[in-house]
Amino acid sequence: MPSKPAAPITIDAVYAAPGYLFRRMQQIAVAIFMEECKAFDLTPVQYAALIAIHTHPGIDATRLSAVIAFDRSTLGSVIERLQAKDYIERKPAPEDKRIKLLYLTKPGAAILREIIPAVERAQARMLEPLKPAERKALMGLMAQLVDLNNEASRVPLRAEDALEHLGKTG
């Protein structure tokens, strides 16, 4: 049985590929976030880290990496930047002084409260071109794809495992 001839390689084929579209949407999402949140000088990853530290005070960097699904080696520079801005502090763990536990500072808690409306505007802008039913459908499908492909990630989301070791589940 003869094989079907391969489709011609064109830039239009690239533009229609899921990977390309996901990458472009990531670029757009970061650009919108940075525009809406420029007054706060925080990146999306720094924001996620602050939220996770706020939600789980005393989390260590390894567990933080699992909770926000971000590469542990790169997360170190994110933590350093947040500490330099006086948004978080690192304290040695009582049982093992080599482990540093992360806590929000008062300025960190304040910036988190102040940035939330800007983050909400950014999230709304990302979906604004779609009709409400399309937004709901897109979000459902994206959540499903992320969940079903979690193990394919270089840094799979491991929030439940990480939090179980913290003794906290909220």
Side-chain angles (χ1 to χ4, degrees):
M1 185 160 108
S3 64
K4 181 180 169 187
I9 299 171
T10 66
I11 195 67
D12 289 340
V14 171
Y15 293 159
Y20 175 83
L21 292 170
F22 290 143
R23 182 184 65 79
R24 286 288 295 136
M25 194 59 228
Q26 168 65 8
Q27 289 175 322
I28 292 164
V30 170
I32 291 171
F33 181 97
M34 297 305 288
E35 187 177 307
E36 289 292 341
C37 300
K38 65 184 165 206
F40 301 97
D41 190 32
L42 283 179
T43 67
V45 173
Q46 290 171 345
Y47 171 75
L50 287 176
I51 290 286
I53 294 166
H54 166 75
T55 306
H56 307 289
I59 194 169
D60 63 80
T62 299
R63 288 182 177 85
L64 178 60
S65 171
V67 167
I68 65 172
F70 197 73
D71 179 67
R72 173 65 181 93
S73 59
T74 311
L75 187 61
S77 63
V78 171
I79 290 169
E80 287 172 13
R81 285 186 189 97
L82 291 173
Q83 190 173 17
K85 293 176 182 184
D86 193 34
Y87 294 157
I88 65 169
E89 61 184 343
R90 292 189 249 199
K91 296 179 181 177
E95 68 282 353
D96 185 346
K97 303 290 184 211
R98 296 171 297 172
I99 298 173
K100 303 299 183 219
L101 306 180
L102 306 171
Y103 298 89
L104 278 188
T105 61
K106 286 185 180 179
I111 197 85
L112 205 50
R113 281 191 305 275
E114 293 168 19
I115 197 174
I116 286 177
V119 171
E120 289 173 350
R121 280 192 309 273
Q123 301 301 319
R125 273 185 61 197
M126 290 171 208
L127 297 176
E128 189 174 15
L130 300 176
K131 295 174 185 164
E134 293 170 330
R135 293 174 197 158
K136 185 176 180 177
L138 176 64
M139 291 304 297
L141 289 170
M142 283 195 323
Q144 183 179 1
L145 276 172
V146 167
D147 183 53
L148 294 173
N149 287 305
N150 187 50
E151 296 307 315
S153 173
R154 286 187 320 124
V155 187
L157 181 64
R158 300 273 188 252
E160 290 177 8
D161 295 343
L163 299 177
E164 182 179 291
H165 294 292
L166 273 177
K168 301 174 185 179
T169 57

